[in-house]
Amino acid sequence: MNAVLDLAGLDALIGALRTSGRTVIGPVLRDGAICLDELTSAADLPSGWGVDAGPGHYRVHRREDTAVFGHSAGPQSWKRFLHPPRRALVTSGPDGFRPVREDPVDHAFVGVRPCDLAAIGKLRQIVGGPMPFVVAAECTEPGGVCFCASMGCGPSASGGYDLALTERIDEEGHRFFAVAGTHAGAELLDRLPGRPASERDFAQARSDVEGAARRMGRAMPDTDLRALLAANREHPRWAEVAGRCFTCGNCTMVCPTCFCVSTEDTNDLDGGAQRSQRWASCFEIDFSVLHGGAVRTSGAARYRQWMSHKLGTWHDQFGTSGCVGCGRCIAWCPAGIDITEEAAALADGVVR
Ligand code: SF4
Ligand code: SF4
């Protein structure tokens, strides 16, 4: 089932999701970035805002139109709702230990990019949890650090959504070509104010998305990355990149698929205590502590671990790459380190 919605139709979609009891999350402009937060209506979406992104660079800017999904990935990903940055596990007090039970939130995600759609699928394979209702937003303009096409994760949404929207603004107006991916999506679309989609609407949406794939300025090298990384464990590039890397862990925090956690115990002055789970990073020195100390003491070892896991050994563990080509790790790296450039440097070496 498909249809064409206007802005009022998009607003009705958000309203219907809220009326069904879901907490609707989507992109909003906050603190000079496109963040993810609760939407109460389509008016909360970042209408007319775009993003300039490059290695170590991210700025929002005013667009010449009023597109609501005219921006690339921001610093946050949907991971924070599926796998929260911090979660209480157990508390202790005068009554002893008590496990912390959280009421599950019935989420609807609106405006999920195809790269993030793929990331949600990969992450849920690991952390599980209930599947949110997903409204995807296909990409018609690649961002400055995007390379999803070369990872097979975009710019078109190929599955994993209830509804997928393709936004278009031209002389015929501001509209969203909407296609249902599930029965629930079709049922909802049927109740929204819109018009039936024509062959022309469908062709325009396809052409806009295909154009985005052609204009994507960045790509992962077209080679067997898993084999490349396994064969290059002693490559001099690891020391070279370590000379630029601050081991800050930003790349792992913004990555929509990095899932590692650590546990922390905290005490309060009343004698109570709490054990919490928090996101951890393989760039932390104590991440690799075994009996006797850390086994990855150098920045080179930690960068190699991150990239080799992400692009290589994820395949062994989960049957897929850990990277979807969203480009967040490139934009939010304070040193501007670009994972595609690092992979290319290895691929250009003698060993493959
Ligand atoms: S690659 Fe960049 S973001 Fe990642 S740890 Fe190094 S400096 Fe930080
Ligand atoms: S490794 Fe970088 S580009 Fe790949 S999914 Fe993670 S943040 Fe996105």
Side-chain angles (χ1 to χ4, degrees), residues 151-231:
M151 299 307 294
C153 296
S156 72
S158 56
Y161 57 81
D162 295 284
L163 287 174
L165 308 176
T166 314
E167 184 173 26
R168 177 172 250 261
I169 302 177
D170 59 17
E171 58 288 347
E172 292 171 36
H174 189 172
R175 59 198 185 280
F176 305 86
F177 173 73
V179 58
T182 60
H183 184 63
E187 242 180 18
L188 179 54
L189 192 54
D190 198 36
R191 288 192 279 124
L192 297 176
R195 65 167 171 82
S198 64
E199 282 296 320
R200 185 162 164 268
D201 293 315
F202 182 75
Q204 281 177 337
R206 284 310 93 212
S207 149
D208 289 349
V209 173
E210 282 161 19
R214 280 193 302 275
R215 293 194 303 276
M216 207 163 284
R218 206 173 236 89
M220 198 50 101
D222 184 14
T223 186
D224 181 344
L225 295 168
R226 181 175 163 277
L228 178 75
L229 286 154

Side-chain angles (χ1 to χ4, degrees), residues 1 22 25-26 33 75 84 92 135 144-146 156 187 218 266 289 295:
M1 154 134 203
R22 294 184 173 96
I25 307 292
S92 81
V135 180
V145 290
C146 298
S156 72
E187 242 180 18
R218 206 173 236 89
T266 48
V289 167
V295 296

Side-chain angles (χ1 to χ4, degrees), residues 30-292:
R30 200 180 64 215
D31 301 332
I34 304 295
C35 295
L36 297 175
D37 211 338
E38 184 166 356
L39 301 179
T40 56
S41 75
D44 293 334
L45 292 164
S47 171
W49 287 97
V51 167
D52 287 324
H57 173 84
Y58 177 98
R59 290 282 183 281
V60 290
H61 66 82
R62 269 290 179 196
R63 293 173 57 90
E64 287 176 1
D65 61 22
T66 54
V68 294
F69 299 124
H71 51 83
S72 52
Q76 298 176 333
S77 75
W78 309 90
K79 173 172 84 170
R80 65 188 301 102
F81 302 100
L82 302 169
H83 180 50
R86 178 174 285 274
R87 195 156 65 86
L89 300 174
V90 182
T91 58
S92 81
D95 304 335
F97 291 98
R98 282 173 189 273
V100 177
R101 303 207 191 285
E102 291 165 350
D103 292 333
V105 181
D106 197 2
H107 279 123
F109 294 167
V110 172
V112 180
R113 295 292 181 200
C115 59
D116 281 341
L117 210 50
I120 289 171
K122 290 171 193 275
L123 187 66
R124 286 193 69 257
Q125 220 185 308
I126 297 154
V127 302
M131 182 65 189
F133 187 97
V134 173
V135 180
E138 294 201 297
C139 285
T140 54
E141 290 178 23
V145 290
C146 298
F147 60 98
C148 64
S150 61
M151 299 307 294
C153 296
S156 72
S158 56
Y161 57 81
D162 295 284
L163 287 174
L165 308 176
T166 314
E167 184 173 26
R168 177 172 250 261
I169 302 177
D170 59 17
E171 58 288 347
E172 292 171 36
H174 189 172
R175 59 198 185 280
F176 305 86
F177 173 73
V179 58
T182 60
H183 184 63
E187 242 180 18
L188 179 54
L189 192 54
D190 198 36
R191 288 192 279 124
L192 297 176
R195 65 167 171 82
S198 64
E199 282 296 320
R200 185 162 164 268
D201 293 315
F202 182 75
Q204 281 177 337
R206 284 310 93 212
S207 149
D208 289 349
V209 173
E210 282 161 19
R214 280 193 302 275
R215 293 194 303 276
M216 207 163 284
R218 206 173 236 89
M220 198 50 101
D222 184 14
T223 186
D224 181 344
L225 295 168
R226 181 175 163 277
L228 178 75
L229 286 154
N232 284 286
R233 290 189 54 75
E234 305 306 327
H235 198 286
R237 185 74 181 192
W238 301 120
E240 195 279 333
V241 69
R244 291 177 281 136
C245 174
F246 301 116
T247 64
C248 65
N250 264 17
C251 45
T252 55
M253 296 294 120
V254 296
C255 180
T257 65
C258 276
F259 59 85
C260 288
V261 291
S262 185
T263 51
E264 267 177 5
D265 293 338
T266 48
N267 299 324
D268 61 41
L269 294 176
D270 298 329
Q274 188 176 75
R275 171 160 292 182
S276 310
Q277 174 182 286
R278 65 155 178 86
W279 288 353
S281 169
C282 49
F283 283 94
E284 296 166 30
I285 185 77
D286 55 359
F287 185 85
S288 67
V289 167
L290 299 178
H291 51 87

